[in-house]
Amino acid sequence: MPLSRRTALAGGAAGALAWPEPAGALGSDEQDWAEFRQRFLLPEGRVVDTGNRNVSHSEGQGWALLAAQRANDQPSFNRILSWTLANLRRPSDSLHAWRWAPDSTPPVTDINNASDGDLFIAWALVEAAERWNQPELMRRGLAIARDLQRACFFNLGRRWFFLPGAYGFRNASRVVLNLSYYALPAFHALGRLTRDAAWTRIEADGLALLQEARYGRWGLPPDWLEIDLQTERLSVARNWPPRFSFDAVRIPLYLCWGGSARHVAVQASVEFWMHMEGRPIPAWTDFRGDQLAPYPANAGIASVAQLARAAREGRGAPGLMPRLSAATDY
């Protein structure tokens, strides 16, 4: 969804940027949250992915929890959390199944977690605990953080990695990563509250990994990356399209949000988007021949492009950002 002004402001001081053309006037967080709630949140607290068979994801639940907390909407927060715990909570730990599908029986057919979904749920819980003085939310959030460390932190030689899920992303020869799961501000928050240096190490190693994992004409990070367990060589992951696309576009967002707007991955992303000056930003680029998507990026990607360019140039948040109403679906 298009980013709110508060999210954008995490990139730096106030400023203005008129590129690419904004889809509408800037509105308040409360307006955007109210529209999101109306369009994508069911009364029982389930966030609906309207562009994908109306399924729900732990990531969407986590994002909605964080947004409700930031908007100080405690009733919505409680409904989202109740649905999440009742329908996605795994029986063996504090993590959550990654998908709930209304057209499946049962709706959860894979209890593997998505580490970014659990990361956002944990972050939202600990922030809500501090805002509303709810110790039980803090307990739940820190329990998720501990289980993420146990199940999704992986050591290889001199580095630690953040696995996309508890299983299915490593075998005897390789480990597969999604670098858009490295949400730096969530690492900051959980590291501060757990007082565990492992979160700082994961962040530092992730920043270093993003220095190296760059491909194609513009030196962009891929959606999916693999590391050879014997040589530690990095390459674009097999079995996924070799692209900077709907996953990797979150990398410059999280770098800016986490205070690393000068990182080379942000610079490369901005250079790619600026190369399209005067033309619509493409939804993705494929590293095979640097092919561009035949259709334009959506409003959310345009928001990240604006934020990243302004933050990289030290001009802070753009004055105008696409509104949530510009999003055609979830």
Side-chain angles (χ1 to χ4, degrees):
M1 74 181 209
L3 307 175
S4 71
R5 187 170 186 269
R6 177 178 290 132
T7 301
L9 282 172
L17 181 66
W19 176 92
E21 286 299 319
L26 181 69
S28 70
D29 290 334
E30 290 74 17
Q31 289 174 311
D32 277 341
W33 169 240
E35 181 165 354
F36 181 90
R37 190 175 55 201
Q38 179 181 10
R39 292 179 62 184
F40 307 116
L41 180 62
L42 298 183
E44 62 267 31
R46 181 168 82 87
V47 178
V48 178
D49 183 349
T50 56
N52 183 22
R53 298 170 31 224
N54 292 328
V55 303
S56 296
H57 306 277
S58 60
E59 179 196 13
Q61 298 300 123
W63 268 104
L65 285 169
L66 188 65
Q69 184 276 134
R70 295 290 176 94
N72 200 26
D73 182 355
Q74 193 168 6
S76 293
F77 182 97
N78 290 339
R79 287 188 291 118
I80 298 164
L81 180 59
S82 294
W83 187 92
T84 303
L85 294 176
N87 293 276
L88 298 181
R89 174 77 180 270
R90 300 190 338 164
S92 59
D93 55 30
S94 298
L95 305 180
H96 300 82
W98 72 279
R99 182 176 64 181
W100 190 96
D103 56 357
S104 295
T105 304
V108 174
T109 57
D110 179 3
I111 64 166
N112 198 17
N113 74 311
S115 58
D116 63 335
D118 281 313
L119 186 65
F120 276 97
I121 293 170
W123 185 22
L125 287 171
V126 299
E127 284 210 349
E130 293 183 318
R131 174 187 280 268
W132 297 318
N133 191 26
Q134 297 275 340
E136 174 60 18
L137 296 181
M138 181 66 71
R139 185 193 67 78
R140 285 189 181 277
L142 295 182
I144 295 170
R146 287 192 295 270
D147 283 340
L148 273 175
Q149 287 183 246
R150 175 190 53 79
C152 298
F153 283 22
F154 175 71
N155 177 245
L156 176 62
R158 60 189 173 87
R159 292 197 280 202
W160 283 86
F161 301 106
F162 189 50
L163 296 177
Y167 57 87
F169 296 96
R170 54 175 167 160
N171 57 29
S173 62
R174 67 170 183 159
V175 61
V176 174
L177 304 178
N178 188 316
L179 294 177
S180 74
Y181 286 22
Y182 282 66
L184 303 187
F187 291 170
H188 295 169
L190 296 178
R192 172 177 62 85
L193 291 166
T194 61
R195 300 181 181 178
D196 191 327
W199 291 94
T200 303
R201 182 62 187 270
I202 280 285
E203 177 185 350
D205 287 349
L207 288 170
L209 194 59
L210 282 166
Q211 293 273 359
E212 302 173 44
R214 301 190 298 118
Y215 302 91
R217 173 182 174 184
W218 291 279
L220 295 164
D223 286 347
W224 292 89
L225 179 76
E226 69 177 63
I227 299 106
D228 185 287
L229 292 181
Q230 298 301 316
T231 66
E232 299 189 31
R233 178 179 175 271
L234 310 181
S235 59
V236 178
R238 292 162 281 173
N239 306 324
W240 280 274
R243 293 176 179 172
F244 172 81
S245 183
F246 298 103
D247 283 275
V249 72
R250 291 176 290 181
I251 292 170
L253 167 64
Y254 294 151
L255 287 169
C256 292
W257 197 352
S260 296
R262 301 294 182 181
H263 193 283
V264 66
V266 177
Q267 297 176 26
S269 302
V270 172
E271 288 168 6
F272 166 62
W273 288 317
M274 286 180 65
H275 178 260
M276 307 306 298
E277 192 85 64
R279 293 170 288 169
I281 293 174
W284 45 260
T285 179
D286 194 300
F287 303 133
R288 295 168 296 196
D290 299 308
Q291 300 172 38
L292 301 178
Y295 52 90
N298 59 28
I301 294 175
S303 295
V304 176
Q306 281 187 270
L307 166 66
R309 181 175 177 181
R312 189 197 72 158
E313 296 174 355
R315 294 194 284 163
L320 293 173
M321 295 284 279
R323 294 292 304 279
L324 192 141
S325 58
T328 56
D329 56 43
Y330 171 87

